[in-house]
Amino acid sequence: MGYHVVRAGDHLWDERPNPGGREEQPPRRASDLTSAASLGQSRARLWRYPPGTRGRRHADRAQEEVFVVVRGTMTILLGDPPDRVELPAESVVAVEPGTPLQLRNDSAEEAVVFIYGAPPIQGGADFFDDPEP
């Protein structure tokens, strides 16, 4: 088949562990679109970030990543030292391999972000300390 459809009601949401042992944060949830959409040349996930949550600061070694804010407002820390960029809904950021980044929801509302990366390499990232506690 030449296409695959994943409808809104078909998403399977998995809880993802909070980075750095931040048990006080509500869990982030991710829907694996790589499997659901049968992606072979890239990877994709849809993420739900509750207020006050953040991802782990990292730099993918080989993967170019694209971040699309679907709903809410996200903050992304880019580079080292990090530049803080606010991303309202419908914002798009493309990040080259080797660039440190961290996604955060510093707002009071849940945010939803679509993250797409290619090539579909897993485990090829360097991890860094959170620059802001």
Side-chain angles (χ1 to χ4, degrees):
M1 184 187 307
Y3 63 90
H4 304 273
V5 176
V6 182
R7 299 191 186 281
D10 295 340
H11 292 294
L12 300 175
W13 295 99
D14 294 320
E15 280 191 16
R16 298 305 296 255
N18 290 320
R22 290 191 183 95
E23 286 79 21
E24 74 279 0
Q25 287 184 173
R28 298 169 299 144
R29 299 186 187 283
S31 178
D32 177 11
L33 301 178
T34 304
S35 298
S38 298
L39 298 177
Q41 303 302 311
S42 58
R43 293 181 351 157
R45 281 197 170 98
L46 194 60
W47 286 85
R48 297 174 74 179
Y49 273 69
T53 57
R54 60 182 76 170
R56 190 167 180 194
R57 189 166 185 245
H58 70 281
D60 275 292
R61 294 184 201 129
Q63 194 173 59
E64 177 179 70
E65 291 183 291
V66 177
F67 300 83
V68 181
V69 180
V70 177
R71 182 176 65 229
T73 299
M74 291 293 293
T75 300
I76 190 166
L77 303 182
L78 293 164
D80 190 25
D83 291 323
R84 184 183 189 86
V85 180
E86 299 297 320
L87 304 168
E90 300 181 21
S91 296
V92 178
V93 175
V95 180
E96 296 174 6
T99 304
L101 68 92
Q102 182 185 35
L103 271 181
R104 318 160 64 100
N105 181 356
D106 293 334
S107 76
E109 303 293 327
E110 180 181 73
V112 176
V113 61
F114 172 74
I115 303 174
Y116 180 84
I121 296 170
Q122 291 185 323
D126 295 314
F127 294 95
F128 306 97
D129 292 333
D130 192 334
E132 301 174 13

